[in-house]
């Protein structure tokens, strides 16, 4: 164990006071100052930079922990040598033994509590020391800083030297660029020419990064190997492994290193969970603003990505991947493709909306409703409190409904279904291109091998508990693991809790329904004319706002419940944990967001009954009806308020406000002034930042938005426009949060976006069915077609409104349900109208469903079947037509394989020629002596060498094509 690598912070060693005076001369040894300063006496690197105090070794990772010091101890950094540790331990034991007895004024229970706290802190310290000793044995270099300006926090800075980086890079099979470079030829087909043309036209929109790097040249990459170091460009060892790679290498070492002093083996995740360390994080490259802000990747990201002044530019995806890793880079690449694809969808949606605005005056059904000459008296909308009303009062709602319910809506639904398929195909091609550029081809198999043995700390703890219980009944050779039987209680709890929470969501929606029913009746009974004149608008808007507030609150509750249920199941690996958590959270949040919308689209107005035989719930509450123009307008209002509210409040306001509030609280808690904060070191500044909690919340909000854009787009053509405007802000918000507000995440490799792609594909398939039902059953598109081609006398829409209204004799009202003010309109009403296809009171089967109803129902179902199959067929055709891998990328991947084979064949040939030359040189320089035996080996004849060289070339010519496939 190399104690020389375990160093204190130079310049921070001070006397500890009279009680802690160390008489040993060796305790005053410090780091040689010649390593910290140049010949002129200036520091090699800034004091605030991410380096050890010698100014040379870069800090690759930081572990933070709680420290407790007496008030007499000032800022210092502890020296960790064996003799010092023993002396400190003896001194603490002697101080405890010579401690004065408790004074009568002190409560014995409080003193015992303090003693237990001391033991607990000592236990944590012993575990830290053992873990740090094990880290030293792996070759890492450590430096402690317990004199930081953040009270009560100590830091362990970790540096990975060159030999450790090489060793771990070989273990992890990291692909590194070799000296071999080749020219990347662009594709010659029409699609690639169009792509290159667009790239040239949009040159001003590209961020100013990697300006000196030629785009047409790429280095050939190969998994790093210490035996083949000559293949790689190691001229600058400081930059060969960038900071992202160094951080991931150290993290792998931390995961693998164990602490066995506890009852069970503990890795870094267990130590963090048990509070031995409070946090672990890699450091940002440097500052963004201020006098110490030297050029670095973080500052470049802030200027070219996280600033609102560059909102119109493309994202520097390559630099994002270089700084944050492939997983974060793929998220922002996907978000960029999604936002880019929203542009044509938003343009078409605006055109559809403008078409509705332009044709609203030519819409015959709305003109008939607004015509005051049509003296149509409608039946009451509620029992007893509501009275009869004129159809002409629904003129405004009818005209507004036409903006979203017109023939262009069907076209837009088909367009959005194909748009979803094109978006998925475009992303697959973009993802494949990024895999090639980032050298991730063939990464899937390596990932499975790398992570199959990395179990989560909670899983290992449960296995340890099970092992202790079955210590005598289980054979020693049998490996203990958690089975389905062990997890059965957790699975049952998950099913029960998720079912219960879904029922809670239904109950909340039902509560909002009761609110709408009751508030409508209350407003009808109101004496204020203003309240009575805006009943529909008031009820719709307030109910939608209540739904939004409930959705936002329940989202947070459902997220916490999903995490709790996932913890109960004890998944084995991090990947399993993440996928299960995503699925549970998605189900709960999807149901929470879309249940009110589904009710308005498919259930409201269909479970009402008819006048004289209404359906009642919870006693006397009559189920609510749709407006005469249909429920599409109310569905549009609900979608608009929910979508805008979630984006403005939950996504943007929370993402801006909550991180800033937490950061402010952390600064207040640490009692640091602004001037002190500016002088903090890099690891102290990053400790104040918020911890990185993963990409799941970012993906989740975008998936819910994607559902709102595609599922009910037939009722709200402006949804893509709102999503586009939100995402333009969302990209910069997320960028600013990652660069400035959060600690730097661990650079994780990923080949794709994982389970999120399956959720997107599932939503795009469901969207076709949902939009078919919205057009068929929620809008009046099908009834209008049926009337125009089956019942219209002149083939126009004249008379459509009268055709959809049935008659009701007011004498057939149930007792107690007739209006309190029957003369509200100024005349006696004998017959009122309601929207339905039913027989008149004078027929042989009064109030029964008419043949028109069954004709319209058959047409609705036929439209659903035809629409679904046609759109699905077109989607599958588009999917088949566009290949997943761009042709130029597949050619370049094939070219890389050929170049790699040539590189290794050339290397092997060079080794054989060098070995043969050395062998011939040895044979030529050694003269035969008189005592040499005739049987002594001699060099091969030239004819044999020519023969074997010819055979070797023939073998290489036959073998090489096998590797090129």
């Amino acid at each position: 164990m190399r104690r020389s690598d375990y160093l204190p912070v130079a310049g921070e060693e001070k006397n500890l006071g009279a009680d802690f005076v160390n008489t040993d001369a060796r305790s005053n040894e410090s780091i040689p100052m010649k390593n910290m300063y140049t010949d002129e006496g200036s520091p090699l690197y800034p004091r605030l930079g991410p380096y050890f105090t010698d100014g040379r070794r870069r800090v690759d990772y930081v572990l933070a922990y709680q420290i407790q010091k007496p008030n007499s101890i000032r800022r210092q950094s502890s020296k960790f040598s064996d003799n010092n540790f023993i002396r400190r331990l003896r001194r603490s034991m002697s101080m405890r033994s010579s401690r004065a007895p408790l004074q009568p004024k002190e409560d014995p229970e409080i003193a015992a509590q303090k003693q237990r706290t001391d033991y607990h802190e000592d236990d944590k310290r012993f575990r830290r020391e053992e873990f740090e000793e094990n880290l030293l044995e792996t070759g890492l270099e450590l430096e402690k800083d317990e004199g930081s300006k953040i009270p009560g926090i100590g830091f362990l800075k970790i540096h990975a030297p060159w030999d450790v980086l090489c060793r771990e890079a070989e273990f992890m099979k990291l692909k590194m660029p070799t000296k071999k470079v080749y020219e990347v030829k662009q594709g010659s087909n029409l699609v690639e020419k169009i792509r290159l043309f667009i790239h040239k036209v949009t040159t001003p929109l590209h961020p100013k990064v990697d300006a000196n790097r030629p785009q047409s040249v790429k280095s050939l990459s190969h998994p790093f190997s210490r035996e083949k170091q000559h293949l790689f460009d190691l001229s600058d060892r400081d930059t060969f492994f960038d900071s992202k790679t160094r951080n991931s290498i150290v993290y792998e070492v931390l995961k693998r290193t164990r602490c066995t002093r506890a009852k069970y083996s503990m890795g870094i995740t267990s130590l963090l969970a048990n509070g031995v360390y409070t946090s672990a994080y890699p450091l940002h490259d440097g500052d963004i603003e201020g006098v110490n802000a030297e050029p670095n990747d973080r500052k470049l990201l802030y200027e070219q990505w996280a600033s609102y002044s560059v909102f119109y530019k493309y994202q520097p995806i390559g630099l994002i991947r270089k700084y944050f890793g492939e997983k974060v880079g793929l998220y922002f690449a996907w978000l960029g493709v999604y936002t880019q694809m929203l542009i044509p969808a938003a343009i078409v949606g605006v055109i559809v909306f403008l078409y509705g605005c332009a044709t609203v005056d030519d819409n015959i059904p709305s003109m008939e409703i607004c015509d005051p000459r049509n003296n149509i008296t409608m039946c009451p909308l509620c029992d007893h409190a509501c009275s009869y009303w004129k159809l002409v009062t629904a003129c405004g709602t009818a005209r507004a409904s036409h903006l979203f319910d017109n023939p262009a809506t069907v076209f837009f639904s088909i367009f959005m279904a194909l748009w979803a398929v094109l978006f998925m195909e475009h992303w697959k091609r973009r993802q494949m291109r990024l895999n090639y550029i980032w050298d991730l081809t063939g990464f899937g198999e390596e990932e499975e091998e790398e992570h199959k043995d990395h179990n989560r700390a909670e899983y290992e703890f449960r296995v340890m508990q099970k092992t202790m219980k079955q210590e005598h009944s289980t054979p020693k050779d049998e490996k203990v693991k958690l089975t389905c039987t062990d997890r059965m209680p957790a699975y049952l709890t998950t099913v029960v809790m998720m079912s219960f929470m879904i029922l809670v969501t239904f109950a909340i929606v039902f509560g909002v329904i009761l609110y709408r029913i009751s508030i409508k009746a209350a407003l009808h009974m109101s004496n204020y004319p203003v309240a009575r004149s805006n009943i529909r608008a008031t009820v719709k808007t307030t109910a939608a706002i209540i739904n939004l507030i409930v959705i936002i609150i329940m989202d947070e509750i459902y997220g916490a419940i999903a995490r709790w249920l996932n913890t109960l199941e004890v998944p084995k690996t991090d990947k399993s944990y993440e996928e299960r958590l995503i699925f549970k959270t998605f189900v709960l949040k999807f149901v929470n967001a879309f249940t009110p919308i589904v009710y308005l689209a498919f259930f409201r107005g269909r479970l009402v009954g008819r006048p004289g035989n209404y359906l009642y719930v919870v006693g006397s509450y009559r189920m609510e009806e749709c407006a005469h123009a249909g429920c599409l307008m109310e569905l549009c209002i609900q979608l608009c308020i929910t979508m805008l509210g979630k984006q403005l409040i939950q996504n943007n306001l929370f993402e801006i406000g909550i991180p800033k509030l937490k950061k402010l609280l952390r600064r207040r808690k640490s009692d640091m002034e602004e001037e002190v904060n500016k002088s903090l070191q890099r690891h102290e500044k990053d400790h104040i930042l918020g911890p990185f909690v993963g990409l799941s919340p970012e993906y989740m909000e975008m998936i819910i938005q994607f559902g709102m854009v595609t599922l009910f787009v037939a009722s709200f053509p402006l949804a893509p426009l709102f999503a586009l405007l939100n995402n333009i802000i969302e990209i910069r918000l997320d960028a600013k949060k990652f660069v400035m507000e959060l600690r730097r995440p661990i650079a994780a490799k990923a080949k794709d976006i994982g389970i999120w792609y399956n959720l997107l594909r599932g939503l795009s398939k469901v969207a076709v069915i949902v939009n078919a039902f919205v057009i068929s059953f929620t809008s009046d598109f099908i009834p209008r077609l049926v009337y125009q081609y089956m019942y219209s006398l002149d083939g126009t829409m004249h008379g459509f409104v009268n055709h959809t209204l049935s008659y009701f004799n007011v004498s057939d009202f149930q007792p107690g349900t007739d209006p309190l003010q029957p003369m509200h309109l100024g005349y006696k009403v004998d017959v009122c109208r309601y929207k339905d296809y039913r027989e008149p009171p004078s027929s042989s089967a009064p109030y029964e469903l008419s043949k028109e109803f069954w004709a319209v129902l058959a047409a609705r179902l036929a439209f659903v079947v035809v629409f679904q199959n046609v759109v699905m067929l077109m989607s599958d055709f588009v999917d088949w037509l566009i290949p997943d891998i761009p042709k130029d990328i597949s050619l370049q991947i094939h070219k890389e394989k050929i170049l790699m084979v040539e590189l290794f064949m050339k290397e092997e040939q060079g080794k054989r020629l060098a070995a043969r030359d050395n062998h011939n040189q040895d044979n030529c320089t050694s003269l035969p002596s008189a005592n040499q035996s005739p049987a002594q080996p001699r060099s091969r004849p030239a004819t044999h060498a020519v023969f074997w060289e010819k055979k070797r070339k023939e073998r290489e010519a036959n073998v090489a094509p096998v590797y090129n496939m």
Side-chain angles (χ1 to χ4, degrees), residues 894-910:
H894 183 67
K895 181 180 179 180
E896 273 198 358
K897 293 181 180 179
I898 296 176
L899 291 175
M900 187 62 68
V901 172
E902 291 179 355
L903 180 64
F904 278 96
M905 296 300 288
K906 184 178 180 180
E907 179 192 7
E908 293 297 326
Q909 180 181 358

Side-chain angles (χ1 to χ4, degrees), residues 21 179 190 278 364 399 415-416 456 643 673 678 799 821 873 879:
V21 174
K179 297 177 182 178
L190 180 62
T278 57
I364 295 176
R399 290 173 62 87
F415 171 81
M416 288 303 295
R456 300 183 68 249
M643 190 171 182
E673 298 180 356
K678 291 181 180 179
Q821 300 177 353
L873 182 63
D879 192 359

